[in-house]
Amino acid sequence: PENIVLFLKNEGISCFGKRFFWSVNPAFFEDILAKWGIKKGYVFMRTAFGACIYFQKEEYFYLDPFFGRIVS
């Protein structure tokens, strides 16, 4: 999506919050979203603990693998 492309162009692949959050290439997370049954989602951030933040249909979600949940 255009807003994710703009974010990555402006920020690049970098870290935030003392290396707790990382911006990522969405292509690297397609298989993870597929394992969770998520189609057409775009991961653009991940945490140091393996959770990821993704964009889907004009909404943002937090996928938490430790608690097995997705939060809008």
Side-chain angles (χ1 to χ4, degrees):
E2 189 175 315
N3 57 347
I4 300 297
V5 171
L6 183 62
F7 172 81
L8 291 173
K9 281 183 179 178
N10 290 334
E11 299 294 333
I13 304 298
S14 55
C15 62
F16 307 90
K18 297 183 181 178
R19 298 181 161 229
F20 184 77
F21 290 106
W22 292 81
S23 56
V24 298
N25 181 338
F28 296 162
F29 287 80
E30 290 174 353
D31 60 332
I32 292 172
L33 292 183
K35 289 179 183 177
W36 281 76
I38 299 163
K39 297 178 182 175
K40 296 189 180 184
Y42 303 92
V43 173
F44 63 97
M45 300 279 303
R46 71 162 176 86
T47 71
F49 299 114
C52 59
I53 301 166
Y54 68 94
F55 175 83
Q56 182 185 44
K57 297 181 181 177
E58 305 299 320
E59 194 171 355
Y60 297 89
F61 298 90
Y62 177 79
L63 188 155
D64 185 341
F66 292 110
F67 291 100
R69 65 182 180 176
I70 296 173
V71 179
S72 172

